[in-house]
Amino acid sequence: MNLDLQTILIISAAAIVGIGVGIAITYVLLRKSIEGKASNIVKDAEKQANIIKEKKMLEAKERFLQLKSEHETFTVQKTKQLTDTENRLRQKEQTFNQKLEQMQRKEKELDTAKNNYTEQLKVVERKNEELGKMHQRQVAQLETISELSAEDAKAQLIESLKGEATTQGAIHAKEILDEARLTANKEAKKIVIQSIQRVAVEAAVENAVTVFNIENDEMKGRIIGREGRNIRALEAATGVEVIVDDTPEAIVISCFDPIRRELARMALHQLIQDGRIHPARIEEVVEKCRKQLEDEIVEVGKRTVIDLGINNLHADLIRIVGKMKYRSSYGQNLLQHSREVANLAATMASELGLNPKLAKRAGLLHDIGKVPDEEPELPHALLGMKLAEKYKERPEVCNAIGAHHDEVEMTSLLSPIIQVCDAISGARPGARREIVEQYVKRLRDLESLALSYKGVEKTYAIQAGRELRVIVGSEKINDKEAEVLSFEIAQKIQNEMTYPGQVRVTVIRETRSVSIAK
């Protein structure tokens, strides 16, 4: 049993030793194999490195050659630029030297000319002294020959030249005006006609009475009241005259103030609808209607301003604009007239290259002096200008308001535009009604004004006062004096009279030769 164990141990030891030797041999073989592979990898890496190295060296050489070529090209260009710059500097230096030489020559020439001028000036002064002495001798000789002093002769000559210059000046002024009309009249007519055609207007005529319609004549008794107390209370509260006559189903409200007439009309309308008509109720309704009318005036002003596109207008001016609805001038509604002038002015300002919004503002406000809360003594144009200045309107607008009837001097181009548009609106056929007496008086004043001139025999105002024909004596006035006379009469009419549109003055001078055959 022990032998077997020893044998087993020996065999086991021999087996272990055999395994160890196998492992050692395997290790050695593996190591040699790994070292061989590693050597091959190193060799391959060295070959790749050499290839890469050679490739990079070639790229570096190519890059170096490229940079060298670019540097040489850049150097050549810079050298050329420097050469060109040097050449230009040399040319400028040469030019400068030439100019310097020219300036030096001119200075020498100026010095020479200065010396010559001084000598010539001395010669001229001597000749002037000699001329003055000769003039004095000639004046003395002329005084001796003519038996007139120099002052008397000068006065006669001035007087003679003065008369001739007056005639020639009038003729020359007429020629200038005719020439200006030839060039400017066509364009001016075009602008005015375009402005008028582009503005749509309404012809509205206001009267001094308002007719109030009622359903039946029985209502008249209730409006009159017991012993007329109701109608007296209405007239006292509104300031109008209520006329109740035989006109069927109508009551007439009469007053020169359209606002009062409108107040009475509104009050009557509410009283009839309510049915309660007595003095206390009348006063209550009139007060209520007065507030409604005031609100309506402001609303009309606001609508007008919005329709015309006018901004930043003072609240008091808006109220004044609203009051224009209830005012009229020569039968023409003042608000419609102002709107028409505003639109015309804006159109004309646009045609002339001016500010149309400013022109529209001035056109709307040009007659605000006709509807003040108080009645001052100032003309409406000056009053309107003061109101506009009070509410901080622009100076151009204030001047246009004040100057549209020539009460103040015009200081901007806006002023004549407003004046012209006001005349266009007022002179439009059917726009205004003129009282017969005023119309006749204006025509008589035209004829009398022309008759006041020397040499005038007859005068005729024709075409509704748009033309004045003046007949002069041929033996008293010559052709040149006739031209002067027409100019002077036109200027006097323009300065002293008020009229719509324009007045043409025609002076007629005719010569008649009469012979009798026997």
Side-chain angles (χ1 to χ4, degrees):
M1 186 67 177
N2 290 332
L3 289 174
D4 293 336
L5 181 61
Q6 290 178 355
T7 301
I8 292 169
L9 290 172
I10 291 169
I11 293 169
S12 299
I16 291 169
V17 171
I19 292 169
V21 172
I23 291 171
I25 294 169
T26 303
Y27 170 74
V28 172
L29 293 173
L30 286 172
R31 182 176 179 183
K32 288 181 179 181
S33 175
I34 292 169
E35 287 177 355
K37 289 181 179 180
S39 177
N40 292 332
I41 291 171
V42 171
K43 289 178 181 179
D44 292 338
E46 288 177 353
K47 288 179 181 179
Q48 292 293 331
N50 290 331
I51 293 169
I52 293 170
K53 181 179 179 183
E54 290 176 358
K55 186 177 179 181
K56 292 297 182 183
M57 288 294 290
L58 289 172
E59 291 178 355
K61 286 180 181 179
E62 290 177 357
R63 180 62 177 165
F64 173 74
L65 291 173
Q66 183 182 358
L67 291 174
K68 183 179 179 181
S69 176
E70 291 176 355
H71 176 70
E72 289 175 353
T73 304
F74 178 74
T75 304
V76 170
Q77 291 176 352
K78 286 296 180 183
T79 303
K80 185 179 179 182
Q81 289 178 359
L82 289 172
T83 304
D84 294 341
T85 304
E86 187 177 356
N87 292 333
R88 286 198 298 271
L89 289 174
R90 285 176 183 173
Q91 290 176 357
K92 287 183 178 179
E93 185 178 1
Q94 291 175 359
T95 305
F96 177 74
N97 291 332
Q98 292 174 358
K99 288 184 178 179
L100 184 61
E101 291 175 359
Q102 291 176 1
M103 288 179 65
Q104 291 174 352
R105 286 198 303 271
K106 287 183 179 179
E107 286 180 357
K108 292 179 182 178
E109 292 174 359
L110 285 173
D111 292 336
T112 305
K114 185 177 180 182
N115 294 330
N116 294 335
Y117 174 74
T118 304
E119 294 176 359
Q120 291 176 0
L121 188 62
K122 292 179 181 178
V123 173
V124 171
E125 288 178 353
R126 287 198 301 271
K127 290 185 177 180
N128 281 335
E129 290 178 359
E130 294 175 0
L131 185 63
K133 292 177 182 178
M134 290 177 62
H135 178 70
Q136 290 177 359
R137 288 196 298 270
Q138 289 177 356
V139 169
Q141 290 176 2
L142 287 172
E143 289 178 353
T144 303
I145 294 170
S146 63
E147 297 180 354
L148 286 174
S149 66
E151 294 297 327
D152 293 339
K154 188 187 293 184
Q156 289 183 6
L157 181 61
I158 289 172
E159 190 65 29
S160 175
L161 292 174
K162 191 175 180 181
E164 185 177 354
T166 302
T167 304
Q168 292 295 331
I171 296 172
H172 189 55
K174 186 176 182 300
E175 290 176 354
I176 292 173
L177 288 173
D178 291 340
E179 185 177 356
R181 288 192 187 98
L182 287 175
T183 56
N185 198 26
K186 184 177 180 181
E187 191 64 26
K189 285 181 178 178
K190 179 181 176 183
I191 291 173
V192 171
I193 290 170
Q194 286 180 351
S195 302
I196 295 172
Q197 288 176 343
R198 288 167 58 185
V199 176
V201 297
E202 297 178 4
V205 177
E206 294 288 336
N207 299 313
V209 297
T210 298
V211 178
F212 182 79
N213 296 316
I214 55 178
E215 294 180 356
N216 50 63
D217 290 340
E218 294 179 359
M219 186 60 66
K220 291 182 179 180
R222 297 185 59 189
I223 292 173
I224 295 171
R226 184 179 300 175
E227 298 178 355
R229 61 177 186 175
N230 290 347
I231 197 170
R232 286 197 301 271
L234 182 62
E235 290 177 345
T238 58
V240 302
E241 182 182 1
V242 181
I243 301 172
V244 181
D245 54 14
D246 296 336
T247 305
E249 299 180 354
I251 295 173
V252 177
I253 302 170
S254 175
C255 180
F256 71 94
D257 189 344
I259 295 179
R260 295 184 192 173
R261 294 205 310 271
E262 179 64 15
L263 177 62
R265 188 197 66 78
M266 292 173 63
L268 269 176
H269 180 71
Q270 289 198 14
L271 286 169
I272 290 174
Q273 279 190 337
D274 184 49
R276 294 176 295 168
I277 305 176
H278 53 81
R281 178 62 180 166
I282 289 172
E283 293 178 358
E284 179 184 346
V285 169
V286 167
E287 190 62 30
K288 183 179 178 181
C289 290
R290 184 175 280 112
K291 293 179 181 178
Q292 290 178 357
L293 184 59
E294 188 67 26
D295 293 340
E296 184 178 345
I297 287 172
V298 175
E299 185 63 28
V300 169
K302 288 181 179 178
R303 284 201 305 269
T304 302
V305 170
I306 292 171
D307 290 345
L308 293 175
I310 297 174
N311 301 320
N312 301 323
L313 195 65
H314 195 278
D316 289 342
L317 288 179
I318 292 176
R319 177 177 170 273
I320 291 174
V321 170
K323 286 178 68 176
M324 289 182 182
K325 178 183 177 182
Y326 303 100
R327 298 283 182 179
S328 60
S329 177
Y330 294 100
Q332 185 181 23
N333 181 267
L334 194 57
L335 181 60
Q336 294 296 334
H337 167 65
S338 298
R339 289 174 66 111
E340 184 177 339
V341 171
N343 290 322
L344 280 168
T347 306
M348 196 172 291
S350 299
E351 293 289 339
L352 296 173
L354 301 176
N355 187 345
K357 291 186 178 180
L358 206 61
K360 189 176 287 188
R361 193 182 193 96
L364 178 65
L365 300 178
H366 81 283
D367 271 346
I368 57 174
K370 290 185 177 180
V371 285
D373 292 328
E374 300 176 357
E375 297 293 339
E377 298 294 330
L378 286 175
H380 77 274
L382 294 179
L383 180 59
M385 182 178 70
K386 290 186 178 296
L387 286 172
E389 290 172 348
K390 176 182 177 182
Y391 296 118
K392 310 299 182 185
E393 286 295 320
R394 292 180 61 170
E396 299 95 321
V397 175
C398 297
N399 181 256
I401 295 171
H404 79 277
H405 285 315
D406 293 324
E407 274 88 0
V408 297
E409 184 180 356
M410 297 182 181
T411 59
S412 70
L413 290 175
L414 193 62
S415 301
I417 289 177
I418 299 303
Q419 187 181 57
V420 168
C421 294
D422 180 51
I424 290 172
S425 175
R428 176 170 51 78
R432 293 185 175 182
R433 295 178 303 167
E434 194 171 14
I435 299 173
V436 176
E437 290 80 1
Q438 292 179 349
Y439 170 74
V440 174
K441 183 178 182 300
R442 178 163 62 84
L443 299 188
R444 285 178 179 170
D445 289 344
L446 270 176
E447 294 180 351
S448 300
L449 185 146
L451 277 172
S452 64
Y453 283 87
K454 183 179 177 181
V456 177
E457 295 181 350
K458 296 178 182 178
T459 59
Y460 299 103
I462 60 176
Q463 293 185 5
R466 298 300 175 88
E467 183 177 355
L468 179 65
R469 291 189 179 176
V470 182
I471 301 174
V472 299
S474 59
E475 70 282 357
K476 298 178 182 178
I477 293 179
N478 57 34
D479 290 338
K480 292 183 178 179
E481 290 173 342
E483 293 182 358
V484 175
L485 180 63
S486 66
F487 180 77
E488 290 179 352
I489 292 175
Q491 291 297 313
K492 191 169 183 180
I493 292 172
Q494 183 174 334
N495 295 330
E496 296 183 5
M497 295 190 67
T498 302
Y499 50 90
Q502 60 184 13
V503 178
R504 179 191 296 273
V505 179
T506 304
V507 176
I508 301 173
R509 176 181 177 271
E510 61 180 6
T511 304
R512 296 186 182 182
S513 298
V514 180
S515 298
I516 300 174
K518 295 181 181 179

